[in-house]
Amino acid sequence: MIKGKVENIKDKIDGNELDLSLSNLTEVPVKELAAFPKATVLDLSCNNLTALTPEFCSLTRLIKIDLSKNQLVCLPEEIGQLGNLQHLDLYNNKLKMLPVGFSQLKSLKWLDLKDNPLELTLAKAAGDCLDEKQCKQCASRVLQHMRVLQEEAEKERERQLLKERELEKKKETKQREKEAREKEAQKKKKAEEKEKKRKEYQAQMAALAAQEQQKKKKEEKKKKAAQNQGKKTTSECVPKAKRSICSLFFSLLLKLLLLLIVGVASIIAVCQLTELRKEAFCVPLNVHFEETVRWAQGLEVVQQVIQKMSDLRT
């Protein structure tokens, strides 16, 4: 099929001109056309084309294109790639406006836009194309008009880019502020958690200190109690020891006294009852003994004792 098309197109080439008019085309056979680089003049008039594909603009060798009497409603933005195009016939289509890339057709010298529903400013710029001069003026004025539109479009694009950048900056600023707030919130949260842990730690340390203090107090109480018990035991032992010593002393003293009394009584008995009473050392002793007996008998208490003993005998 492709070979047939190529052969068919080849039959329509005359020198550098390729005539595909009145071929009932609904699309341009771009791949087949690319096979004939010597064809610089292309006639696509009187077909049923409604649009041109971006690939059509790759046919940069074209100098003259006739697209009159089709149904074109738009041209591709890439049409500016046709840098060698000098003659363009768009008569009797359905174009309302041209793409901004149209301003890149720097080699364009001739243009026909008659019988298209062009928007008002474009129609005013195009004017009439009733002769060669007017068509050349149309090309010049339309290119100038499209360059103005391109500049405005670029300015609008720059404004849009600037606006987008500003929005992006605002967005970034808001994002940074949000991140800063989140970071501050996290920092505050961490600080609160740290403070909470610190307080819990202090509370634990205080509780441990209180327990240790209570433990020390209990140990001190036990120690004091033990010391008091020891003192009490010591104090109890000391009086007992003292009493024991005193008792021993008094017992010894009593024994000595009894021994002394017995000795004195024995001496008195010897001096009173034996032949020794006449001895020199017994005489004063006997005198003192008799005086003491007389003194004792004179006491009322002794008399009462003697009386009671007498009564007991009777």
Side-chain angles (χ1 to χ4, degrees):
M1 184 180 295
I2 294 175
K3 186 176 180 181
K5 281 187 177 181
V6 170
E7 289 177 352
N8 190 28
I9 293 174
K10 187 175 182 180
D11 293 338
K12 294 180 179 296
I13 293 178
D14 183 12
N16 66 336
E17 296 183 8
L18 177 56
D19 186 1
L20 294 178
S21 64
L22 300 170
S23 298
N24 199 28
L25 296 175
T26 57
E27 61 180 22
V28 179
V30 177
K31 291 183 180 179
E32 289 77 2
L33 294 177
F36 303 97
K38 292 184 179 181
T40 59
V41 177
L42 178 61
D43 188 354
L44 292 169
S45 63
C46 302
N47 282 292
N48 295 313
L49 302 175
T50 58
L52 299 178
T53 62
E55 289 77 14
F56 178 81
C57 301
S58 65
L59 303 173
T60 57
R61 68 181 183 278
L62 295 175
I63 297 173
K64 180 179 179 180
I65 302 174
D66 188 352
L67 288 165
S68 62
K69 297 181 181 180
N70 276 282
Q71 306 295 320
L72 294 174
V73 295
C74 66
L75 297 178
E77 185 65 36
E78 293 82 0
I79 196 170
Q81 296 176 7
L82 299 173
N84 295 316
L85 186 62
Q86 299 178 13
H87 183 111
L88 179 60
D89 193 345
L90 293 170
Y91 166 73
N92 194 13
N93 277 278
K94 295 182 178 181
L95 297 172
K96 293 182 179 180
M97 57 188 304
L98 298 175
V100 176
F102 196 91
S103 63
Q104 300 300 316
L105 296 174
K106 297 179 180 180
S107 299
L108 189 64
K109 306 297 182 182
W110 192 97
L111 178 63
D112 188 357
L113 286 171
K114 293 192 307 295
D115 292 342
N116 279 282
L118 301 175
E119 55 95 12
L120 185 60
T121 56
L122 180 57
K124 186 176 180 180
D128 294 327
C129 185
L130 300 176
D131 54 33
E132 188 74 13
K133 183 179 179 180
Q134 288 182 348
C135 290
K136 288 182 178 181
Q137 290 176 349
C138 174
S140 177
R141 288 195 299 265
V142 169
L143 286 175
Q144 183 64 30
H145 174 73
M146 295 309 298
R147 289 191 187 102
V148 173
L149 292 180
Q150 185 180 23
E151 291 176 359
E152 291 178 355
E154 288 177 354
K155 289 180 180 179
E156 180 62 27
R157 189 161 49 249
E158 289 178 358
R159 285 194 295 268
Q160 189 65 28
L161 287 173
L162 183 60
K163 186 177 180 181
E164 289 177 358
R165 287 180 190 144
E166 289 177 354
L167 290 174
E168 187 66 25
K169 285 182 180 179
K170 288 181 180 179
K171 187 177 179 181
E172 290 176 356
T173 302
K174 287 182 180 180
Q175 184 65 25
R176 286 195 296 269
E177 290 176 353
K178 182 180 178 182
E179 290 175 355
R181 288 194 299 269
E182 290 177 352
K183 188 176 181 180
E184 186 65 26
Q186 289 178 355
K187 186 177 180 182
K188 185 177 179 182
K189 185 178 180 181
K190 286 181 180 179
E192 290 175 352
E193 290 177 353
K194 187 176 181 180
E195 182 65 18
K196 183 179 179 181
K197 288 181 180 179
R198 188 183 66 79
K199 288 182 178 180
E200 289 176 353
Y201 175 77
Q202 288 180 345
Q204 290 177 356
M205 291 297 100
L208 290 173
Q211 291 178 359
E212 190 68 22
Q213 190 68 21
Q214 290 179 356
K215 186 177 179 181
K216 286 183 179 179
K217 286 182 178 180
K218 287 181 180 179
E219 289 177 355
E220 288 177 358
K221 285 182 180 179
K222 288 181 180 179
K223 189 176 181 180
K224 286 182 179 179
Q227 289 176 354
N228 292 333
Q229 186 67 27
K231 287 181 180 179
K232 185 176 180 181
T233 303
T234 305
S235 62
E236 288 177 353
C237 291
V238 170
K240 285 182 180 179
K242 287 182 178 180
R243 285 195 296 270
S244 177
I245 293 171
C246 291
S247 176
L248 182 62
F249 176 75
F250 285 122
S251 176
L252 182 59
L253 185 61
L254 183 60
K255 287 179 182 180
L256 290 172
L257 183 60
L258 289 173
L259 183 60
L260 181 62
I261 292 171
V262 170
V264 171
S266 297
I267 293 171
I268 292 172
V270 169
C271 290
Q272 286 288 326
L273 300 175
T274 64
E275 294 297 331
L276 295 174
R277 64 177 178 272
K278 292 181 181 181
E279 293 293 329
F281 71 89
C282 286
V283 172
L285 184 61
N286 289 332
V287 172
H288 287 296
F289 176 72
E290 290 174 357
E291 289 178 356
T292 301
V293 170
R294 283 194 299 271
W295 173 78
Q297 287 176 350
L299 294 174
E300 185 178 355
V301 175
V302 175
Q303 291 177 0
Q304 289 178 357
V305 171
I306 294 170
Q307 183 63 38
K308 286 184 179 180
M309 289 177 67
S310 299
D311 291 339
L312 288 174
R313 288 177 181 176
T314 56

